[in-house]
Every structure is written in structure tokens, then in C-alpha cells.
Amino acid sequence: MSEIKKETSLAIVGAGPGGYAAAFLAADLGMKVTLIDPRENPGGVCLHVGCIPSKALLHVANVLNEAKDAKNFGVSFNKPKINRLRIAEWKTDVVKKLTGGLGDLSQKRKIEYIRGTATFADRKTLDVEETAGDQYRLRFENAIVATGSKATEMGGMEFDGKRILSSTDALELNDIPRSMLIVGGGYIGLEMGTVYSALGTKVTVAEMTSGLLPGVDRDLVAVLKKQIQERFDEVLLNTKVSDMRVQKNGVMVTFEGKEVKKNKRLFNKVLVAVGRKPVSSGLGLENTKIKVDDKGFIEVDLQRRTTEKNIYAIGDVAGEPMLAHKASHEGRVAVEAIAGRATAFEPRAIPAVVFTDPEIAWCGLTATEAKQKKQKVEIVKFPWAASGRLATLDRESGLTKFVIDPETEQILGVGIVGLGAGELISEGALAIEMAAVVSDVRLTIHPHPTLSETVMETADLFFGESTHYYRPKRK
């Protein structure tokens, strides 16, 4: 590597939702910023091959499903003609529009965007290799590691992009297979299964544990599971995939489990969605004092500072939960710390959303966590079957759930499953962040008829005074 060619105030390695959010704030605060990423524009995994393209395809799936269900209220459509190439092109157009916009914002802020990779030579220097081929050293005052995560492969079953797919491969929509096995019943698998099922693929899900979406509130999952079972070909729980063999006509999969009726089955394609792991290797961290735990996460403090005082880490590489909005918030905290502001990453609630149909969203303390902590809570659940707005949308189910401190009446957790749950959960997150009590939500007038009313009525229900659902008063 050649001698030092460039110098910067802040170097950010990785331009995903955490990296670019940090870069933009740092530039707004007057810092000289260098943002390094191998892609043409900022956006990272989320915008290029993650949350944005998957939500574009999920919109297609929702339109198809709604068109199919419209017969229930007297509107029928001919069998939809699916233009796979146009769908894929539209999805790519959405990605290009958003990432291109981020590129423009980078230029307007006079951020130096380097398309390439970087590794740490020491605590003050990065070895940079540009995509164009140039190699040099970059000297920095402070740095932020925002390298994100990547899909986890199953032992001995590597992705080939043709038969055995990662979520990135599945988003390419290279074809619509007749059958697909999804290994893993987490949010990635269920979201992609929703897409392919709507497009006509017979989808089977195999999950090792006893339920879909392990770790998510069972009351919420129960509503989703009913819909999943109707739209997917099969849901196999307590089932392990022990072997996959690629053949000319598909993938022969071997299952293990008490509930498995046929232990060997052929699928056109297999999507492996068993989780993600942080990208912390290959960054030259061994040339610094930065500590990495046994899961690959970089250890950080409340300001996202590593054990090297001038180097910070944010997003997926800095620990769970692996969520884009968590990364963005951490990026801003790190920059504020660099700027000398009194700041810390101490959220009371980080909302999470599963964009299936129906959606699941939650934030704060869950009933399961409260039980594990032996914390006394009161649970209140408002079924959406009592919602007038839900009836007008020809939907049957949904649920809003509060986890409440019975003594202070403070809202500790909120869970929602139903149409647009991801858009509704922010009210719950705000309530928890502001340490709101149930009466605060109860006395906030919500518009009628809306699904947001279910949040208000859940609060009413705590006192046994909900207008549209009966629950005996608290004693």
C-alpha cells in the first residue's frame, strides 16, 4: 500500500442506513466527511438488496392478494397476467430512484464518496482500495464502522444463486418457480414467502422451533399464522433440514422431525433464511484495540464508541436488533458524541415490523420478557373484529396489545398485528419513550373510523370502558 494520499476529519466505512445517516449529520455539523462503500451510491444492503426492494415486491403481492379477495364484496377480476420482467424492472427502478437521491444529497453536502473498500492499518489510518483500482492510505481523526451484516449460510449448503438462494438472490426474481422451500420461519423467510406465494409459487416453510417468528409475541403470531397457512402450501414446525442435494430438476431436501410425514422431498428452489451475521472480519480490526465478541459483534459503549476512543461502530455490526432505523439512530448518536455533545444510545423502545400480510409490529417490553423477568404486568388486548374500519376493509382479524405496569399504569410495551401495523406502531413507541400512562393515550382523541382507534380503545379497555368491546372493570 502506498503512502498517505488523503486526510479527513471523519471516515465512515459502510454507506447503509447507519453510515449515510451519520455522514449527512456530520456534514451538516461542519465536519469533513469521507464515506466509503463498494456500491455506486449510498444505501447499503437495506436500500439495494434488503428492506426497500423487498417492500416493493411485497406491495405487488398485496395488490394481487387484494384483487383475489375482492370477490368477497362483489368485484371480480380476470386472472392477473404477471409480467415478471416488468416487476423486477420496477423494483430496480425504485431502488435506483432512492439510492440516486442519496447520491445527490451526498454531493450537496460536499461529502467525499469513495466507491471501494477499506481496512484499518491502525487506529488512525485506513487502507483504501477503490473499485477503479487505485490504492492508497487515508488518514482520519475519527472513524465509524458501519459495515452491516450478511446472510447466514447453512453448514455444507452454500448459496449458488440458482437453486439454493439467499434473500438477495430471491429478490432478483430471476424466475417464478413452481415450488419453493423456505428454510427458517423468521421475518425474512415469511416476507419472501408472501411474495412468491402471491406470484403463484407453492411455498413450504420449515422452521426448527415450535412456532413461526421465534421470539415474537405468540398472540400476534397466532393471527398471522392463520393467514400464512391459508396462502402457503405447507408450514412445517419442529422440523430440521438435514441435507440438500442439487439435482437437474431441483433440490432434494431431507427433513428431520416428529411431525415430518415424508422425510425426502423435491423442490424447484430453496431459500435459506436462517438469519444474518455481522460483517466484522476482513476489516483489519486486529490492527487496532477494537474488541469483537464471540458472535462477531463489535463491542461499543452507550455513545457507540469502541475500545479505540476515536473509532465508533453502529448498526448490525454493533449488535442486535439488526434494524435499519436502529442503525440510523446510532449513527446520529456517534456523530453527536464526536461533536462533543452530551448524548447516549438509550432508547426505551425500538419498534420492529414484519411486513407480511397481516403485518406484525411491536416495541418495548413483551409479555414473554416480563414473565422471564418475573415483572408484574397487566395485559390488555383489543381484538380488531370490534373495529368498524376493519369491517369496511373486508378483513376479519387483527389485535392491539398493551403491556402495562399495573401500579403506575405506565405503558411498557405495545404489540399490533393487522393491516398497516407498521404504520401504527410509532404511536406506541412514542408513548413508551415519553413514559406515557394509559390515560394519556385514552384521552387522545383518535379519528373515526380508523384502525388507529384500536390503540385508543385498548387504553379504554384497561379501565373496562371500551365503547366497542366489553371487558369487566378492573378490581
Side-chain angles (χ1 to χ4, degrees), residues 43 99 115 143 149 190 199 205 237 373 395 465:
T99 56
R115 189 178 181 190
S149 62
L190 296 186
L199 293 174
V205 175
L237 302 177
K373 295 177 180 179
R395 293 293 182 120
E465 298 175 358

Side-chain angles (χ1 to χ4, degrees), residues 274-318:
V274 293
R276 299 184 66 82
K277 58 183 180 181
V279 178
S280 56
S281 61
L283 301 178
L285 300 183
E286 65 277 7
N287 299 322
T288 70
K289 295 179 181 179
I290 294 174
K291 293 181 180 179
V292 179
D293 69 16
D294 55 1
K295 293 182 179 179
F297 294 117
I298 295 174
E299 296 182 8
V300 294
D301 63 15
L302 290 178
Q303 293 186 319
R304 309 293 91 176
R305 184 183 287 106
T306 70
T307 41
E308 288 282 12
K309 293 190 180 299
N310 68 316
I311 302 177
Y312 299 71
I314 61 173
D316 291 2
V317 77

Side-chain angles (χ1 to χ4, degrees), residues 153-166 169 181 183 241-254 264-272:
E153 292 184 325
M154 296 178 65
M157 306 174 194
E158 297 180 353
F159 303 128
D160 63 13
K162 297 178 181 179
R163 293 289 188 183
I164 301 178
L165 312 178
S166 68
D169 299 324
L181 170 68
V183 184
V241 174
S242 58
D243 188 49
M244 291 191 291
R245 299 294 172 96
V246 177
Q247 303 176 174
K248 286 185 178 180
N249 58 342
V251 183
M252 184 62 71
V253 179
T254 303
K264 284 194 176 184
R265 290 173 58 182
L266 183 69
F267 296 90
N268 291 126
K269 296 202 175 188
V270 176
L271 167 60
V272 178

Side-chain angles (χ1 to χ4, degrees), residues 20 36 55 78 96 144 220 223 263 289 403 406 417 421 462:
Y20 77 72
I36 307 165
K55 301 316 165 283
N78 293 328
K96 286 181 177 179
I144 297 176
L220 307 182
V223 176
N263 68 339
K289 295 179 181 179
V403 180
V417 57
F462 176 72

Side-chain angles (χ1 to χ4, degrees), residues 300-351:
V300 294
D301 63 15
L302 290 178
Q303 293 186 319
R304 309 293 91 176
R305 184 183 287 106
T306 70
T307 41
E308 288 282 12
K309 293 190 180 299
N310 68 316
I311 302 177
Y312 299 71
I314 61 173
D316 291 2
V317 77
E320 299 279 4
M322 292 185 178
L323 298 169
H325 42 282
K326 174 249 192 186
S328 298
H329 193 84
E330 285 182 312
R332 295 179 67 86
V333 168
V335 169
E336 288 175 340
I338 292 169
R341 295 180 177 178
T343 185
F345 184 74
E346 296 180 296
R348 286 175 176 264
I350 302 176

Side-chain angles (χ1 to χ4, degrees), residues 12 39 54 70 106 135 173 180 200-201 247 334 343 349 421 426 449-450:
I12 301 175
R39 295 180 174 87
S54 66
S106 296
Q135 298 182 20
L173 206 67
M180 174 183 283
T201 300
Q247 303 176 174
T343 185
S426 293
T450 64

